[in-house]
Amino acid sequence: MKLITKSIFLSLFVFSCKKNTPTLFSETTYTIEITGKWTEPDFTVPVGVHFTSVAGMVHNNSTYLWRIGKRASLGVENVAETGSTTNLRSEIDSIVAKGLAISLVVINAPGPKGKSKSAIYCNSIFSRISLQSMIAPSPDWFIGLDAFNLYPNNQWISDTTINLYVNDAGTEDGDVFGYNNPATIPQENIQLLSSEKAIVLSNGNSPLKPIATVRFIRN
C-alpha cells in the first residue's frame, strides 16, 4: 500500500514539473530586404509608377494590421489610397500601448525594380510582422504582409523569401493609374486584386504575378 502511494506521488510530481516548466524565451534580429518586381511584360509600367514607404509592426498573435476578408481601418485605407502612413502609425502606437506589439517598422520605399533594406528585433512572444505599402498611382491597391510568423514551431526561420501580390483595400472604385477615384460605397472587405479588376495593371496577364518580394535573413 505504501509502495503504491509513493508511486502515485512520484507520478504526480513529475507531471506537475512538466506542466509548470516555462517556455524558454528567445530573441533575435532580422534583416528585411524588399525587392520590387514591377516590370514588363508581367505588368504595365507607365511613367511615374512607384511603391510608397513601407510601414508595419512587430506584434504577437492577438492582433493584426490588415487582413483579407476584413474591412480596412482608416490607417490602412490612407496607405492604400495615398501612401500616407500618418494614421496607420497612430493605430500602431495604440496597438503597442495595449501590449500587443513592440515596435513600429518603417522601411524606405523600394524602386519598381529596386531594393530596400532594414532591420527588426523580435522575440518568441512578439514574433509576427505585418507590413503595408501602396502601389502608386492606383485607386486603393497595396502590397504587404499579414502577421507573418518568424518563429513557427518554436524555431526561428533562418532565411526565407515571400512573394507579395497586389491587394484591393475595398475603399475606392476604378481601374486606372490615378488617385482621384470615387469611394466604394458601401466599403468592401480587403481582397486579393484580380486581373479582371486591374486590366490597366495586368498587361494582359492572368492571374496577376507577384509585384514584389520580401526576404527575411536572420542575423
Side-chain angles (χ1 to χ4, degrees):
M1 186 68 177
K2 289 183 179 180
L3 181 61
I4 295 174
T5 302
K6 186 176 181 180
S7 297
I8 293 173
F9 172 77
L10 287 173
S11 297
L12 289 173
F13 177 75
V14 170
F15 175 77
S16 176
C17 288
K18 288 182 177 179
K19 185 176 181 181
N20 295 321
T21 300
T23 302
L24 294 178
F25 180 78
S26 181
E27 56 189 345
T28 193
T29 60
Y30 280 91
T31 296
I32 306 176
E33 182 179 273
I34 299 178
T35 303
K37 294 185 174 294
W38 197 339
T39 59
E40 295 178 339
D42 292 342
F43 302 95
T44 306
V45 189
V47 175
V49 296
H50 62 282
F51 299 104
T52 62
S53 61
V54 183
M57 63 182 180
V58 176
H59 58 96
N60 64 19
N61 62 358
S62 297
T63 189
Y64 62 90
L65 197 62
W66 62 270
R67 183 148 292 169
I68 286 178
K70 300 289 186 181
R71 292 251 181 127
S73 66
L74 178 61
V76 171
E77 176 182 357
N78 287 349
V79 172
E81 292 180 2
T82 69
S84 172
T85 62
T86 301
N87 284 317
L88 188 68
R89 290 187 187 209
S90 294
E91 291 173 4
I92 292 171
D93 287 343
S94 178
I95 293 171
V96 171
K98 293 175 183 176
L100 302 176
I102 55 171
S103 65
L104 168 71
V105 176
V106 179
I107 306 171
N108 292 332
K113 51 182 179 179
K115 294 185 179 182
S116 184
K117 292 184 179 182
S118 188
I120 61 166
Y121 162 86
C122 48
N123 59 50
S124 49
I125 300 171
F126 298 93
S127 62
R128 297 174 186 266
I129 182 166
S130 293
L131 300 169
Q132 186 188 10
S133 170
M134 178 190 187
I135 73 162
S138 74
D140 60 344
W141 302 340
F142 71 94
I143 57 171
L145 279 180
D146 170 25
F148 182 73
N149 187 14
L150 291 162
Y151 193 60
N153 303 314
N154 297 326
Q155 294 288 331
W156 292 110
I157 291 173
S158 60
D159 189 339
T160 190
T161 299
I162 305 160
N163 287 327
L164 300 181
Y165 295 86
V166 184
N167 300 290
D168 184 337
T171 59
E172 278 195 354
D173 294 335
D175 182 5
V176 295
F177 288 117
Y179 299 101
N180 298 317
N181 304 282
T184 301
I185 301 175
Q187 181 177 334
E188 297 177 353
N189 293 333
I190 297 170
Q191 297 294 335
L192 190 67
L193 185 66
S194 67
S195 55
E196 293 76 17
K197 291 187 176 181
I199 295 173
V200 69
L201 176 66
S202 68
N203 200 27
N205 297 298
S206 183
L208 289 175
K209 297 184 179 182
I211 202 167
T213 61
V214 57
R215 182 183 180 189
F216 293 93
I217 307 164
R218 190 182 179 196
N219 297 324

